C-alpha cells in the first residue's frame, strides 16, 4: 500500500479542486461467501443479479418512502458539494454528497421513472452494470452516514439514508463489506462487536474495580447480570477493551456509585453499538437491538441508560421503539432510554456529585460533537440540549475549556472520518483524509488555547482519532472521553446517594 | 390576431394544461397512496410543540431564511431563489392573463410589476447558467436536464418579458414563441427536475408533523454553545 500522506495542518479548511477518481481505489474488502451466508445474505452475486437488483431496488423504494422522495427531489443546486469531509479531504467529486446520490439516482431514473425510460442517458439515466456496481461498493463505503450534508441541503436530503439503502441493496445481491458483516455476526451470536465472552468482560470489570480501589481507596463496583437492579447500563463493548475507552467506563461507575444507584450491566446485551444500522438492514438492526430489551425484561430493571457511543445512541434513541417497543414494563417517570450525559448532568444539578476541577488542570479541553448525537438524535428537554449537556458537564469538571470554530461544531460538526462502518484498516487512507476538516479546526484551538484534551462521547470517534492523530503529528493520548474527565475530578465518598 | 396565435393562446394551452393536470393527478394520487406509518415514538418536548404546529412551521420554513443553514449563511442565494420563483409565478400568470384577462395589462403598474418580476428572474437565470457552467463543483454534479431546464426557463423569461405588453402590432413572433414554450413546459415539467415543487409541500408537511410531535419544530433555540 502506498504511503499515506495526511493533509498539511494549516488551521484552514480549504475546498479542494475537483480530482476525478482521487479515491476510487480505496475500497472495503468484500465479505467471503461463508460470512455472507452466516448473516443470511446470498453467498455471492447470482447469475441473474441484474434482475434481482432491480427487483430489490423496487422493494426498497416501496419500503423507504424517504429514499424515493430524496431521489426525486434534488435540484442539483450545489449547496452540499463542499460539505462532506470526504470530499474536502480527497477532492474526489464522487464524495460530493449529491454526486454520491447520483450513483443511485441515475439507476433509479433508468428503471423507475418515465423520463429515464424514455430518454435514457439524455435524461441522466444509467443501466446497472458490473462497473457501476463496483463504484457503488467503493463510494457508498466512503460515506460515514453523518448527515452533515443534509443540514445544508435546502430540501434536507439525507445522503446517509441513501447510503444505507445502497448498502442494503448491495448485500441483497451478495456484495457485503467484510468488516461490517463480521461485526454484525459477532453482535448477533456473541452479544458484542468485539466478540468478547462474558468472563472476559467480567475480568475487565474486576480490573477497573481494582484500579479505582488502588487509586482512591473506595470500593466502586461494576456489577453484571444483577437481577432486580434499577438501571440496565448499556455501553459500547470498546469500553471493556482499552484506552481511551476504559477510562470512561471508570467514570460511569463512579457516577453510579456516588449517586448510590442500583445498576447493572448485562453479559447478554454487552454491546450498545449496532452495525445493523450501518448496513441499512432493518432485520439485523432489530435483532441486535432486541438483545438489549430482552436483557432489560429479564433483569427486571426500571430504566435503561446508554454509555458514550454515537451510533448506539442513534439506534437506541431513534429506532428502538419502532424496532422492539413498546417498553411499558419500564418506569415511565424516566425517559426511555436515557443518555449517560443526561444522567450525570441531572445529578450535578441536584448537587449529588462533587468535583475537584483542579484534577483536570493539566488539560486544556475542547469537545467534538459526534455527528450521530448532533444530527440524528437529541438529549434533554429542549432542542439543542445534545450540544449543551456534554459541554456543561465538561465545564463542571474542568477549568479550561474552549470550543472549536462555530461552523465545525453543534449541528454543523464534522464527522471524525471513521464512522458509519468505515472504521476499517483497508480504508485508513480515506479515514485520515476524511478527518482533515476536524483536524484543522483542532489545530486552531491548539494554537490559540494549547488544547491537549480532545473530549468525545463516541466509541468510534475515540478509536478513529487515536488512530489518525499520529498521522497529523498529534499525540494519540490527547483523545479521551467526557466521563474520563468526570472520573478524574469526581470526589468519591463525599456524599453517598441522593 | 392570427389563427396560429389564437390557437397557441387557447387550444394549445388548454391541451397542455389538461395533459399536465392528468399527470399531476396521477402523481398526487401516487403520493397520497403513501400513508404515513404510525408514529410509535411518544410525544416529547416541552408541551408547546405538536404535529400541527410542526407542520405549519415546516411549511413556512421557506419564508424564514434565518432558520435554514443553506439560506442563513448565503442570503444572496436566497434572494436569487425568491426572485427566480417570483418570475416563474409571474410568467405562468401572464399565460392566463393574456388570453383570459387582457384588460389587466392596460395598467402600466401591472405591466411594470410583471416585467420587474420576470426581468429579475431572467437576470438570475443568466447568473445561474453562468454558475452552472463555470463553477467546477456545480458543473461536476449537473445532468443534461439541469442545463436544459435552466436554459429553457431563462429563455422563457426573456420571451415572457417582451410579451407583457401583449402587443402583436410589431409581429407575433415573440408572443407565439412564449406560448409555444409555455405549452412545452407544461408538458415537460412533470418529467423533469422542475417537478420538485410538487414534492416540496408533502415532504415539509410530513417532516413538520413528525418533528412537531417529537418536540423539535418549531425550533426555538439560539445556540447556547460555542465561545462567547
Ligand atoms: S452523510 Fe456525511 S459522509 Fe455521507 S455524503 Fe453526507 S456529509 Fe458525506
Ligand atoms: S443541496 Fe440538496 S438539492 Fe442541492 S444538490 Fe445537494 S442534495 Fe441536491
Ligand atoms: S464516529 Fe463519531 S464523528 Fe464519526 S460518524 Fe460516528 S458519531 Fe460521527
Amino acid at each position: 500500500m502506498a504511503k499515506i500522506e495526511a493533509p498539511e495542518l494549516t488551521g484552514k479548511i480549504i475546498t479542494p479542486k475537483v480530482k476525478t477518481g482521487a479515491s476510487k481505489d480505496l475500497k472495503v474488502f468484500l465479505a467471503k461467501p461463508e460470512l455472507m451466508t452466516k448473516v443470511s445474505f446470498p453467498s455471492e452475486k447470482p447469475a441473474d443479479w441484474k434482475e434481482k437488483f432491480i427487483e430489490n431496488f423496487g422493494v426498497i423504494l416501496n419500503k423507504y418512502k424517504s429514499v424515493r422522495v430524496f431521489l426525486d427531489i434534488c435540484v442539483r443546486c450545489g449547496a452540499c458539494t463542499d460539505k462532506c469531509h470526504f470530499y474536502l479531504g480527497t477532492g474526489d467529486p464522487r464524495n460530493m454528497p449529491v454526486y454520491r446520490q447520483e450513483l443511485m439516482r441515475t439507476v433509479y431514473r433508468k428503471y423507475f421513472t418515465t423520463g429515464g425510460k424514455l430518454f435514457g442517458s439524455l435524461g441522466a439515466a444509467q443501466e446497472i452494470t458490473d462497473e457501476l456496481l463496483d463504484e457503488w461498493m467503493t463510494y457508498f463505503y466512503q460515506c460515514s452516514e453523518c448527515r452533515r450534508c443534509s443540514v445544508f441541503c435546502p430540501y434536507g436530503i439525507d445522503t446517509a439514508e441513501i447510503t444505507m439503502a445502497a448498502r442494503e441493496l448491495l448485500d441483497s445481491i451478495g456484495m457485503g463489506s467484510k468488516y461490517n458483516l463480521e461485526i454484525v455476526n459477532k453482535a448477533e451470536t456473541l452479544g458484542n462487536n468485539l466478540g468478547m465472552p462474558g468472563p472476559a468482560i467480567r475480568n475487565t470489570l474486576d480490573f477497573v474495580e481494582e484500579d479505582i480501589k488502588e487509586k482512591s481507596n473506595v470500593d466502586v463496583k461494576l456489577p453484571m447480570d444483577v437481577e432486580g437492579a434499577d438501571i440496565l447500563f448499556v455501553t459500547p463493548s470498546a469500553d471493556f477493551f482499552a484506552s481511551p475507552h476504559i477510562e470512561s467506563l471508570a467514570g460511569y461507575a463512579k457516577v453510579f456509585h456516588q449517586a448510590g444507584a442500583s445498576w447493572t450491566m448485562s453479559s447478554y446485551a454487552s454491546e450498545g453499538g449496532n452495525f445493523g444500522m450501518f448496513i441499512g438492514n432493518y432485520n439485523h438492526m432489530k435483532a441486535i437491538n432486541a438483545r438489549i430489551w430482552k436483557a432489560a425484561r429479564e433483569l427486571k430493571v426500571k430504566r435503561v441508560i446508554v454509555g458514550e457511543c454515537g451510533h448506539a445512541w442513534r439506534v437506541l434513541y431513534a429506532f428502538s421503539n419502532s424496532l422492539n417497543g413498546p417498553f411499558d414494563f419500564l418506569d415511565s417517570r424516566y425517559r426511555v432510554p436515557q443518555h449517560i450525559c443526561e444522567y450525570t448532568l441531572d445529578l450535578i444539578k441536584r448537587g449529588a456529585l462533587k468535583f475537584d476541577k483542579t484534577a483536570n488542570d493539566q488539560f486544556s479541553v475542547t469537545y467534538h460533537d459526534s455527528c450521530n448525537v448532533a444530527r440524528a438524535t437529541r438529549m434533554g428537554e429542549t432542542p439543542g440540549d445534545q450540544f449543551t449537556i456534554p459541554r456543561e458537564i465538561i465545564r463542571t469538571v474542568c477549568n479550561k475549556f474552549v470550543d472549536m470554530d462555530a461552523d465545525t461544531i453543534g449541528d454543523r460538526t464534522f464527522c471524525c472520518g471513521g464512522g458509519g462502518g468505515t472504521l476499517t484498516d483497508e480504508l485508513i487512507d480515506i479515514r485520515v483524509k476524511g478527518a482533515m476538516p476536524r483536524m484543522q479546526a483542532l489545530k486552531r484551538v491548539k494554537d490559540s488555547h494549547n488544547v491537549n484534551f480532545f473530549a468525545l462521547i463516541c466509541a468510534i470517534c475515540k478509536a478513529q482519532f487515536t488512530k489518525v492523530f499520529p498521522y497529523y503529528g498529534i499525540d494519540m493520548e490527547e483523545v479521551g472521553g467526557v466521563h474520563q474527565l468526570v472520573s478524574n475530578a469526581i470526589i468519591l465518598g463525599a456524599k453517598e446517594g441522593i | 390576431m392570427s389563427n396560429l396565435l389564437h390557437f397557441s393562446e387557447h387550444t394549445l394551452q388548454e391541451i397542455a394544461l389538461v395533459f399536465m393536470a392528468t399527470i399531476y393527478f396521477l402523481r398526487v394520487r401516487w403520493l397520497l397512496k403513501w400513508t404515513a406509518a404510525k408514529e410509535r415514538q411518544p410525544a416529547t418536548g416541552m408541551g408547546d410543540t405538536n404535529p400541527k404546529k410542526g407542520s405549519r412551521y415546516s411549511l413556512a420554513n421557506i419564508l424564514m431564511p434565518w432558520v435554514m443553514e443553506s439560506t442563513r449563511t448565503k442570503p444572496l442565494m436566497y434572494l436569487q431563489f425568491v426572485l427566480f420563483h417570483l418570475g416563474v409565478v409571474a410568467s405562468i400568470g401572464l399565460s392566463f392573463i393574456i388570453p383570459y384577462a387582457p384588460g389587466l395589462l392596460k395598467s402600466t403598474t401591472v405591466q411594470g410589476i410583471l416585467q420587474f418580476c420576470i426581468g429579475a428572474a431572467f437576470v438570475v437565470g443568466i447568473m445561474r447558467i453562468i454558475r452552472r457552467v463555470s463553477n467546477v463543483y456545480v458543473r461536476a454534479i449537473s445532468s443534461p436536464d439541469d442545463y436544459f431546464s435552466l436554459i429553457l426557463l431563462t429563455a422563457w423569461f426573456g420571451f415572457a418579458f417582451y410579451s407583457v405588453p401583449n402587443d402583436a402590432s410589431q409581429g407575433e413572433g415573440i408572443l407565439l414563441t412564449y406560448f409555444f414554450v409555455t405549452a412545452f413546459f407544461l408538458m415537460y415539467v412533470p418529467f423533469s427536475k422542475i417537478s420538485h415543487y410538487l414534492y416540496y409541500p408533502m415532504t415539509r408537511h410530513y417532516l413538520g408533523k413528525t418533528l412537531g410531535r417529537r418536540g423539535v419544530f418549531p425550533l426555538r433555540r439560539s445556540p447556547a454553545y460555542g465561545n462567547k
Side-chain angles (χ1 to χ4, degrees):
Chain A
M1 191 191 271
K3 191 172 173 294
I4 296 160
E5 297 275 352
E8 195 193 340
L9 270 191
T10 57
K12 290 194 193 107
I13 301 168
I14 294 168
T15 308
K17 292 236 158 55
V18 174
K19 286 177 238 149
T20 305
S23 61
K24 71 175 180 1
D25 297 324
L26 307 175
K27 298 170 192 293
V28 284
F29 293 151
L30 279 178
K32 295 241 165 66
E34 313 83 72
L35 177 58
M36 292 299 286
T37 316
K38 274 188 196 160
V39 287
S40 317
F41 291 130
S43 57
E44 53 199 349
K45 218 159 69 173
D48 60 344
W49 69 265
K50 231 179 236 192
E51 288 75 31
K52 289 250 151 45
F53 179 91
I54 298 164
E55 187 189 321
N56 295 341
F57 201 165
V59 172
I60 282 181
L61 291 173
N62 281 335
K63 203 162 48 162
Y64 307 123
K65 301 151 202 172
S66 49
V67 171
R68 188 164 207 151
V69 173
F70 293 156
L71 292 175
D72 273 322
I73 203 171
C74 169
V75 290
R76 262 84 61 214
C77 69
C80 62
T81 50
D82 58 349
K83 301 301 183 288
C84 176
H85 49 290
F86 286 128
Y87 176 70
L88 292 170
T90 63
D92 189 325
R94 273 288 176 223
N95 282 321
M96 292 177 179
V98 48
Y99 210 39
R100 195 189 310 284
Q101 297 161 20
E102 284 293 300
L103 281 171
M104 181 179 272
R105 192 173 285 118
T106 50
V107 181
Y108 164 72
R109 286 193 194 108
K110 176 75 196 166
Y111 300 106
F112 300 97
T113 69
T114 319
K117 283 180 194 157
L118 290 178
F119 305 120
S121 61
L122 260 188
Q126 215 179 344
E127 214 176 292
I128 187 72
T129 58
D130 284 301
E131 295 71 39
L132 191 55
L133 264 193
D134 189 50
E135 269 201 89
W136 275 47
M137 202 62 208
T138 307
Y139 291 104
F140 283 121
Y141 281 96
Q142 289 186 17
C143 168
S144 55
E145 303 175 353
C146 78
R147 305 182 104 188
R148 185 168 198 267
C149 46
S150 71
V151 171
F152 295 87
C153 171
Y155 294 95
I157 293 175
D158 185 358
T159 317
E161 273 198 49
I162 291 180
T163 294
M164 288 178 200
R167 292 182 184 178
E168 177 165 20
L169 204 39
L170 287 164
D171 282 329
S172 79
I173 54 158
M175 294 178 74
S177 139
K178 175 175 177 282
Y179 165 72
N180 285 286
L181 295 183
E182 264 174 2
I183 289 184
V184 165
N185 186 40
K186 273 189 216 153
E188 286 176 4
T189 51
L190 298 166
N192 60 67
N193 294 353
L194 296 177
M196 286 172 99
I201 299 174
R202 185 62 259 173
N203 209 19
T204 309
L205 303 184
D206 291 344
F207 165 77
V208 177
E209 282 178 2
E210 282 160 26
D211 194 52
I212 298 173
K213 171 88 180 165
E214 203 176 294
K215 287 180 183 146
S216 61
N217 206 23
V218 178
D219 278 316
V220 172
K221 293 286 167 222
L222 281 90
M224 197 162 82
D225 297 331
V226 178
E227 199 179 310
D230 285 346
I231 298 167
L232 170 64
F233 180 66
V234 183
T235 202
S237 54
D239 283 351
F240 305 128
F241 189 56
S243 257
H245 309 266
I246 210 162
E247 288 80 356
S248 280
L249 182 64
Y252 318 137
K254 289 180 187 174
V255 169
F256 286 129
H257 170 89
Q258 205 53 26
S262 144
W263 71 293
T264 185
M265 287 179 272
S266 157
S267 57
Y268 175 73
S270 49
E271 178 61 64
N274 191 329
F275 273 46
M277 189 189 77
F278 293 160
I279 61 167
N281 187 286
Y282 183 89
N283 293 334
H284 286 296
M285 191 154 67
K286 184 175 167 121
I288 296 169
N289 182 269
R291 295 181 77 99
I292 292 166
W293 304 106
K294 184 166 179 247
R297 280 193 175 87
E298 287 180 359
L299 293 171
K300 300 189 180 68
V301 297
K302 297 194 178 110
R303 56 202 286 208
V304 173
I305 295 180
V306 183
E308 293 178 352
C309 180
H311 84 277
W313 181 236
R314 179 167 173 179
V315 177
L316 277 151
Y317 177 88
F319 298 117
S320 276
N321 232 317
S322 314
L323 295 169
N324 292 304
F327 306 119
D328 38 19
F329 62 96
L330 296 171
D331 188 333
S332 60
R333 285 173 303 162
Y334 304 105
R335 201 172 294 128
V336 182
Q338 210 179 4
H339 195 281
I340 186 69
C341 287
E342 295 176 303
Y343 181 76
T344 301
L345 187 66
D346 177 56
L347 290 169
I348 290 172
K349 287 197 164 152
R350 290 197 277 145
L353 306 178
K354 292 278 173 284
F355 297 97
D356 170 16
K357 284 171 123 176
T358 60
N360 283 317
D361 269 358
Q362 74 272 34
F363 299 130
S364 174
V365 181
T366 193
Y367 174 72
H368 162 83
D369 291 281
S370 297
C371 41
N372 274 305
V373 178
R375 285 187 289 263
T377 58
R378 55 181 290 191
M379 283 182 204
E381 290 297 336
T382 22
D385 277 358
Q386 71 267 43
F387 309 125
T388 52
I389 288 176
R391 286 174 171 80
E392 270 193 71
I393 296 176
I394 296 172
R395 286 200 165 95
T396 308
V397 302
C398 296
N399 282 314
K400 289 176 272 178
F401 172 76
V402 62
D403 253 320
M404 288 174 280
D405 286 343
D407 56 353
T408 70
I409 58 169
D411 54 1
R412 282 163 288 169
T413 186
F414 275 106
C415 170
C416 60
T422 66
L423 191 80
T424 171
D425 283 347
E426 66 265 28
L427 292 183
I428 186 66
D429 192 323
I430 192 139
R431 283 168 51 196
V432 169
K433 293 182 170 122
M436 181 277 280
R438 172 48 77 226
M439 300 311 295
Q440 302 293 12
L442 173 61
K443 157 93 174 144
R444 285 170 70 86
V445 283
K446 273 180 122 9
D447 289 350
S448 60
H449 288 78
N450 297 318
V451 164
N452 61 356
F453 194 102
F454 192 62
L456 304 161
I457 55 165
C458 171
I460 295 183
C461 300
K462 288 175 195 168
Q464 158 75 349
F465 285 120
T466 41
K467 187 92 180 186
V468 303
F469 266 27
Y471 285 94
Y472 286 90
I474 300 174
D475 188 352
M476 63 189 260
E477 300 278 322
E478 295 187 12
V479 176
V482 167
H483 277 79
Q484 179 176 338
L485 296 169
V486 170
S487 176
N488 293 345
I490 197 165
I491 301 173
L492 291 174
K495 182 173 183 209
E496 298 267 349
I498 45 170
Chain B
M1 181 194 289
S2 71
N3 281 345
L4 184 60
L5 183 57
H6 185 270
F7 166 79
S8 73
E9 284 186 12
H10 292 271
T11 320
L12 181 63
Q13 297 308 307
E14 283 148 18
I15 294 171
L17 275 170
V18 169
F19 178 79
M20 188 188 79
T22 313
I23 302 284
Y24 276 5
F25 172 74
L26 294 175
R27 280 247 168 162
V28 170
R29 209 177 61 165
W30 174 78
L31 278 173
L32 291 177
K33 190 178 87 190
W34 307 97
T35 45
K38 191 173 165 336
E39 173 71 271
R40 301 186 69 182
Q41 180 83 11
T44 39
M46 302 284 271
D48 58 348
T49 57
N50 59 45
K52 244 191 208 144
K53 275 191 192 170
S55 167
R56 274 204 301 268
Y57 173 84
S58 175
L59 284 165
N61 216 281
I62 201 159
L63 304 172
M64 301 186 285
W66 57 92
V67 302
M68 261 194 298
E69 196 60 47
S70 58
T71 46
R72 177 170 48 228
T73 48
K74 296 205 166 112
L76 275 181
M77 289 297 244
Y78 182 72
L79 184 68
Q80 282 189 24
F81 157 82
V82 172
L83 292 175
F84 196 78
H85 287 84
L86 278 180
V88 172
V89 173
S91 301
I92 291 174
L94 185 66
S95 74
F96 287 93
I97 295 174
I98 293 179
Y100 303 115
L104 274 179
L105 295 173
K106 291 208 175 89
S107 149
T108 47
T109 317
V110 174
Q111 275 198 27
I113 292 172
L114 284 172
Q115 281 197 318
F116 171 78
C117 293
I118 297 169
F122 178 78
V123 174
V124 172
I126 298 285
M127 287 163 69
R128 286 185 166 192
I129 293 172
I130 295 172
R131 177 167 176 264
R132 200 158 279 282
V133 176
S134 65
N135 181 312
V136 279
Y137 307 113
V138 179
R139 200 168 58 220
I141 60 167
S142 298
S143 70
D145 177 42
D146 296 326
Y147 294 107
F148 182 68
S149 300
L150 183 57
I151 292 172
L152 202 68
L153 209 59
T154 307
W156 181 58
F157 288 140
F159 292 116
F161 182 85
Y162 286 110
S163 299
V164 170
N166 191 21
D167 179 6
S169 60
Q170 306 295 317
E172 292 180 347
I174 298 267
L175 277 165
L176 272 173
T177 317
Y178 166 63
F179 277 107
F180 271 93
V181 177
T182 307
F184 174 78
F185 258 129
L186 293 177
M187 300 207 208
Y188 176 66
V189 160
F191 304 108
S192 86
K193 73 168 198 174
I194 305 174
S195 61
H196 64 271
Y197 69 85
L198 191 65
Y199 300 106
Y200 192 81
M202 308 286 279
T203 51
R204 294 311 307 184
H205 167 67
Y206 284 118
L207 183 77
K209 223 173 81 166
T210 309
L211 294 188
R213 182 182 169 83
R214 294 187 179 187
V216 179
F217 275 4
L219 281 183
R220 63 211 135 85
R221 87 182 142 86
S222 57
Y225 55 92
N227 303 316
K228 296 285 166 305

